[in-house]
């Protein structure tokens, strides 16, 4: 039984989803220091260039080679500029299920890139890799990410109470941990029927993403 994803790239009309490259380090560093990324993910803060380099050179490739999932750097087709990340993780090869998370750079929000990239990965996962379930987990207050889940056809399955630690701004401008519920979403192959190929709505962030 295959237990690793192939080393591939996926293209849409506007995007290229590909492995990370050394040239992505500056843009990745900037993106991961964004306030909303800090709030909804577990990235180190401040996020240093060394963190980005470790992600590009070691951690992201190890997701695929270790059989845990696969990480796609998402870039614009025309400009090649890095717009975000789509990450499959916690992959169960026996039941053909995996978990989706995504991040979008501040300058690229509102263009539907999270929806478009996630939908492209879902089609590839179900049709080419023969998977049967894709799961997302979004923080209860992260409405933008919930909208992305809905637009790609996900079904809300329930709430994991007090299951995630997000971050909130403190009075002195720092960050403090804050507990939150997680909404569990699922996408099955049949849920893609009738889902449009392109979106022009809000982008978001899945909360259940271990970017350390």
């Amino acid at each position: 039984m295959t237990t690793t994803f192939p080393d591939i790239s996926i293209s849409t009309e506007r995007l290229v989803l590909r492995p990370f490259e050394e040239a992505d380090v500056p843009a990745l560093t900037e993106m991961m220091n964004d306030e909303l990324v800090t709030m909804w993910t577990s990235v180190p803060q401040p996020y240093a260039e060394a963190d980005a380099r470790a992600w590009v050179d070691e951690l992201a490739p190890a997701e695929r080679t270790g059989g845990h999932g696969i990480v796609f750097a998402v870039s614009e087709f025309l400009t090649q500029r890095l717009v975000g990340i789509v990450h499959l993780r916690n992959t169960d090869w026996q039941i053909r299920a995996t978990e989706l998370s995504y991040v979008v750079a501040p300058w690229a929000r509102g263009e539907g890139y999270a929806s478009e990239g996630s939908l492209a990965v879902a089609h590839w996962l179900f049709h080419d890799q023969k998977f049967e379930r894709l799961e997302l987990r979004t923080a209860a207050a992260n409405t933008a990410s919930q909208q992305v889940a809905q637009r790609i056809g996900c079904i809300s399955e329930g709430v994991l109470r007090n299951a995630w630690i997000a971050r909130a701004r403190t009075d002195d401008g720092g960050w403090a941990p804050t507990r939150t519920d997680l909404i569990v979403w699922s996408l099955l192959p049949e849920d893609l029927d009738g889902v449009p190929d392109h979106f022009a709505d809000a982008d978001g962030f899945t909360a259940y993403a271990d970017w350390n």
Side-chain angles (χ1 to χ4, degrees):
M1 179 178 67
T2 301
T3 57
T4 58
F5 289 116
D7 189 13
I8 66 159
S9 296
I10 300 171
S11 296
T12 71
E13 183 175 335
R14 300 188 299 169
L15 302 173
V16 177
L17 291 82
R18 53 168 176 77
F20 269 95
E21 303 169 351
E22 186 71 18
D24 296 318
V25 168
L28 178 62
T29 304
E30 181 181 358
M31 179 171 64
M32 290 307 202
N33 278 302
D34 174 68
E35 183 162 318
L36 290 180
V37 176
T38 302
M39 183 181 300
W40 296 122
T41 74
S42 60
V43 295
Q45 284 300 320
Y47 194 86
E49 184 174 302
D51 297 311
R53 198 170 303 280
W55 177 255
V56 170
D57 294 341
E58 302 172 20
L59 301 178
E63 282 287 278
R64 190 187 70 81
T65 58
H68 310 300
I70 188 170
V71 178
F72 292 101
V74 184
S75 60
E76 285 185 323
F77 180 78
L78 292 178
T79 68
Q80 302 302 305
R81 190 176 181 184
L82 184 70
V83 303
I85 303 170
V86 174
H87 185 181
L88 298 181
R89 63 191 299 269
N90 291 338
T91 303
D92 188 319
W93 292 94
Q94 182 174 356
I95 66 172
R96 310 300 283 185
T98 192
E99 198 174 309
L100 172 74
S101 57
Y102 40 79
V103 171
V104 175
W107 67 269
R109 291 170 195 156
E111 299 295 331
Y113 287 150
S115 302
E116 186 173 333
S118 297
L119 188 62
V121 171
H123 277 286
W124 168 76
L125 186 74
F126 291 147
H127 296 156
D128 293 2
Q129 299 299 303
K130 309 303 180 185
F131 268 59
E132 297 293 338
R133 176 181 170 87
L134 187 60
E135 183 174 303
L136 293 79
R137 300 184 180 192
T138 63
N142 191 351
T143 55
S145 192
Q146 293 159 27
Q147 290 170 357
V148 172
Q150 291 171 332
R151 290 186 177 99
I152 67 173
C154 292
I155 304 299
S156 175
E157 294 186 333
V159 176
L160 299 176
R161 297 186 300 162
N162 218 26
W164 178 251
I165 298 177
R167 285 178 278 210
R169 278 293 190 189
T170 58
D171 292 338
D172 62 2
W175 293 97
T178 178
R179 297 204 71 94
T180 181
D181 297 343
L182 287 177
I183 301 175
V184 180
W185 305 81
S186 68
L187 188 69
L188 305 184
E190 56 266 30
D191 296 330
L192 292 179
D193 294 342
V195 176
D197 291 334
H198 298 94
F199 302 85
D201 299 295
D203 288 316
F205 312 82
T206 49
Y208 196 67
D210 183 5
W211 299 104
N212 290 310

